[in-house]
Amino acid sequence: MHFPTNYEDRIVIENGKIVRIVTARWYDKKQSEKQNTSIWYECDIYKEDEDGNTWKQNLYQSCWGGYVVAFPGLPWNENRYSWYFDQSPATEEGWQATGKPMDIGGCDVEQDDLELIYSLYPDYRYLVKKYKKDRAGCMYKRWEIIEKLIMWKQHPELEFILAADYEKVGMSKGFWRLSEKKRWEIARFIKQYPKLHDLGLREVQSAIKSGNPELFARYLIDVSNWRRTGVDGVRFADYVYLKKYRGIKKDWFCTALDRKISIWQDYMRMLAQTTHDIKDEYWRHPKNLIEKHNQLKDDLERIKEQAKLEALKSKQNAIRAIKRRFQELNGNIDGYSIFVTTDYNEWKKQAAELHQCIVAAGYYEKMIDGKDNIVFIQKDGIPIATAEIRTDSSLGQFYADERDRDNCLPSAEVKAAFEKWFQSIPKKTWKPRKTKKQIKEAA
């Protein structure tokens, strides 16, 4: 069993029908080098006819992806990626009906192939002539010419759909299952909006319903671009709402529409955390997006804050113990107040003034649980810097105002005052104290 080195195909007439046959070829590199000549094995593995019937032989799905071929004369188990391990050499198995395999390659169609088809179906040349796509000097790959022949035999009107360059629609089985009235509606749309030829059937139907086909086409392009950056779930109605929304301008990094999408996506993410109906027009498309966004953000932060305070109620003993432990160590050095506090409001003030994440990132809870220590440096009640001292008494993070992350280190004066205070504190102070309950459990 081998992965083919390449595939080739040809178009023939069998039993009065147009048939495409695929041949797999494999190059035996080892034997070729040993015998100083090119040794190839080949086998016809797949064929399909003008009526959509498909057959295969010596072709197997590989458990590692792709297809392997049992080339006649070679052992079945030579490729251990295969599921088949019979030691006997493979033979030509004969054609068996099958579904159409994926990724079986093929060659460009040549004029001789077309003439062969025209010999049975003279009118097919009009479809080929009117088909607007020209790839590297040839109309189609051979598999494409057969694919369109199958559909054209069932629906001769395909010629006009392809002439309008609506290949996705014309080759959709769903299109031909529609009522004649629906097909005429789509045909009129095609005639009116020829620039939208890349749309598939569902997209065309959605464009018709939208009432603004050209804007819908622009929407599909933008959505496709956004998906590459992880933005999804934007419906056409959302797109129209955002296009019309005023008050949000572009910045250095994105267009005004991209900026709107970013804010709206964040708004929708927060909205999903509430009990509001995200499908409701009132909530989904607010008159003042910025105002609603900020209001929702504040509401969720209050809820989160309340939940955090409720959780801390069960840790009052630990909070009081930390307060007693550090209250005598707090002091004033060179005009700076340096202290450890369990006052949660003081933490929020420090975080807000210095644009730090000590509250949002859970450092308060870590300190209460004895896993970290946070020291505040203030001057005349104004936050100046925050220092982290780990439980092994080593200095961790030490930052002033973090609005500018590239320039947020404390000044030399602040560092000197903190260092005086830090060196005066016994190292064992920073090690968490065991509670009476923990001591009892350890014993």
Side-chain angles (χ1 to χ4, degrees):
M1 306 287 283
H2 295 274
F3 288 103
T5 304
N6 57 48
Y7 297 98
E8 295 176 357
D9 63 350
R10 63 189 184 275
I11 292 179
V12 299
I13 295 178
E14 280 189 358
N15 301 320
K17 291 186 178 182
I18 300 297
V19 177
R20 181 176 80 100
I21 301 175
V22 178
T23 301
R25 305 184 75 222
W26 178 71
Y27 178 63
D28 190 334
K29 183 178 179 181
K30 185 176 179 181
Q31 291 300 320
S32 293
E33 291 175 351
K34 187 181 291 186
Q35 300 180 33
N36 197 27
T37 185
S38 293
I39 299 177
W40 288 83
Y41 290 85
E42 63 179 40
C43 179
D44 289 343
I45 57 168
Y46 171 77
K47 66 179 181 178
E48 57 189 4
D49 71 12
E50 63 186 53
D51 294 325
N53 300 308
T54 55
W55 301 266
K56 71 170 184 178
Q57 67 174 357
N58 294 57
L59 178 68
Y60 297 91
Q61 185 86 37
S62 168
C63 58
W64 287 89
Y67 294 95
V68 289
V69 174
F71 287 96
L74 295 176
W76 276 45
N77 70 332
E78 195 164 317
N79 186 331
R80 289 286 178 174
Y81 288 128
S82 170
W83 291 320
Y84 300 92
F85 299 100
D86 190 341
Q87 292 285 345
S88 61
T91 58
E92 191 170 285
E93 298 170 354
W95 295 107
Q96 304 168 12
T98 185
K100 190 169 185 175
M102 299 293 291
D103 302 323
I104 295 292
C107 305
D108 294 340
V109 68
E110 296 180 359
Q111 189 61 36
D112 288 347
D113 301 316
L114 295 173
E115 293 300 332
L116 193 67
I117 297 173
Y118 299 158
S119 67
L120 293 184
Y121 299 101
D123 291 343
Y124 190 59
R125 74 172 64 246
Y126 299 112
L127 180 143
V128 175
K129 265 187 180 180
K130 291 180 180 179
Y131 185 52
K132 289 190 175 181
K133 294 192 177 177
D134 183 3
R135 302 173 187 171
C138 53
M139 292 299 292
Y140 321 87
K141 294 288 186 181
R142 288 186 175 118
W143 65 264
E144 291 180 287
I145 203 83
I146 296 296
E147 185 181 66
K148 289 173 177 60
L149 176 62
I150 293 169
M151 188 66 82
W152 175 78
K153 282 188 64 179
Q154 298 171 10
H155 309 287
E157 309 97 305
L158 175 66
E159 175 187 325
F160 306 107
I161 303 296
L162 295 185
D165 205 14
Y166 268 68
E167 181 174 359
K168 285 186 180 179
V169 172
M171 295 306 295
S172 167
K173 293 181 180 178
F175 173 74
W176 301 106
R177 285 196 292 264
L178 294 174
S179 67
E180 186 177 356
K181 181 181 177 182
K182 290 288 184 184
R183 291 204 304 273
W184 271 108
E185 183 181 351
I186 291 172
R188 283 193 296 270
F189 175 87
I190 289 172
K191 188 175 181 180
Q192 189 175 0
Y193 298 100
K195 292 182 180 179
L196 310 185
H197 60 86
D198 284 333
L199 301 187
L201 174 62
R202 287 187 179 182
E203 292 169 336
V204 168
Q205 291 172 320
S206 297
I208 292 171
K209 290 178 182 177
S210 73
N212 193 335
E214 292 187 1
L215 182 62
F216 188 85
R218 182 68 246 175
Y219 155 73
L220 292 176
I221 293 170
D222 285 337
V223 164
S224 177
N225 293 332
W226 291 332
R227 279 176 183 157
R228 296 191 192 102
T229 60
V231 176
D232 208 351
V234 182
R235 304 171 187 171
F236 180 63
D238 305 328
Y239 183 79
V240 172
Y241 160 74
L242 292 167
K243 288 280 282 186
K244 291 180 179 178
Y245 191 83
R246 296 289 179 265
I248 298 177
K249 298 180 180 179
K250 68 177 183 178
D251 59 23
W252 290 102
F253 303 102
C254 57
T255 66
L257 182 58
D258 287 336
R259 184 77 183 122
K260 287 188 246 183
I261 283 287
S262 176
I263 295 170
W264 183 78
Q265 284 280 114
D266 191 49
Y267 167 74
M268 290 300 294
R269 177 188 59 78
M270 293 189 293
L271 190 63
Q273 299 176 47
T274 70
T275 57
H276 302 310
D277 183 2
I278 62 173
K279 296 179 181 179
D280 190 320
E281 180 80 9
Y282 174 81
W283 292 105
R284 195 173 184 90
H285 303 150
K287 289 183 179 179
N288 192 323
L289 176 60
I290 299 294
E291 183 182 307
K292 280 291 183 184
H293 174 277
N294 295 340
Q295 179 185 333
L296 200 54
K297 183 181 178 183
D298 291 342
D299 290 345
L300 290 175
E301 284 180 354
R302 277 196 296 272
I303 293 170
K304 187 177 179 180
E305 189 78 15
Q306 189 60 40
K308 186 181 286 188
L309 292 174
E310 288 295 323
L312 288 173
K313 284 182 179 179
S314 63
K315 298 183 179 182
Q316 289 304 308
N317 289 338
I319 292 172
R320 282 192 288 269
I322 290 173
K323 184 178 180 180
R324 288 194 300 268
R325 178 174 150 203
F326 286 105
Q327 63 185 358
E328 294 181 2
L329 304 178
N330 300 337
N332 288 282
I333 296 179
D334 297 339
Y336 293 97
S337 175
I338 304 175
F339 60 96
V340 176
T341 181
T342 57
D343 185 341
Y344 194 66
N345 289 325
E346 192 68 43
W347 276 66
K348 290 195 292 182
K349 171 187 170 183
Q350 188 87 357
E353 289 285 335
L354 299 180
H355 307 94
Q356 294 177 344
C357 66
I358 53 174
V359 172
Y363 283 95
Y364 187 86
E365 290 83 349
K366 286 174 71 176
M367 189 177 80
I368 301 306
D369 292 337
K371 297 176 181 178
D372 210 347
N373 301 285
I374 301 297
V375 179
F376 293 172
I377 299 98
Q378 297 184 358
K379 190 168 188 176
D380 299 328
I382 299 173
I384 301 296
T386 307
E388 174 193 18
I389 302 177
R390 303 187 182 99
T391 55
D392 63 358
S393 75
S394 64
L395 180 63
Q397 301 176 80
F398 189 11
Y399 295 120
D401 192 333
E402 293 189 51
R403 183 190 293 273
D404 180 2
R405 288 291 296 166
D406 295 326
N407 185 28
C408 61
L409 295 178
S411 67
E413 183 181 294
V414 172
K415 287 181 180 178
F418 173 78
E419 188 64 22
K420 286 181 186 178
W421 178 85
F422 186 38
Q423 293 301 327
S424 70
I425 308 296
K427 289 186 177 182
K428 65 179 182 180
T429 304
W430 308 111
K431 189 175 182 180
R433 307 278 177 83
K434 290 185 178 180
T435 63
K436 291 181 180 179
K437 183 179 179 181
Q438 288 174 326
I439 295 171
K440 188 176 180 181
E441 287 176 351

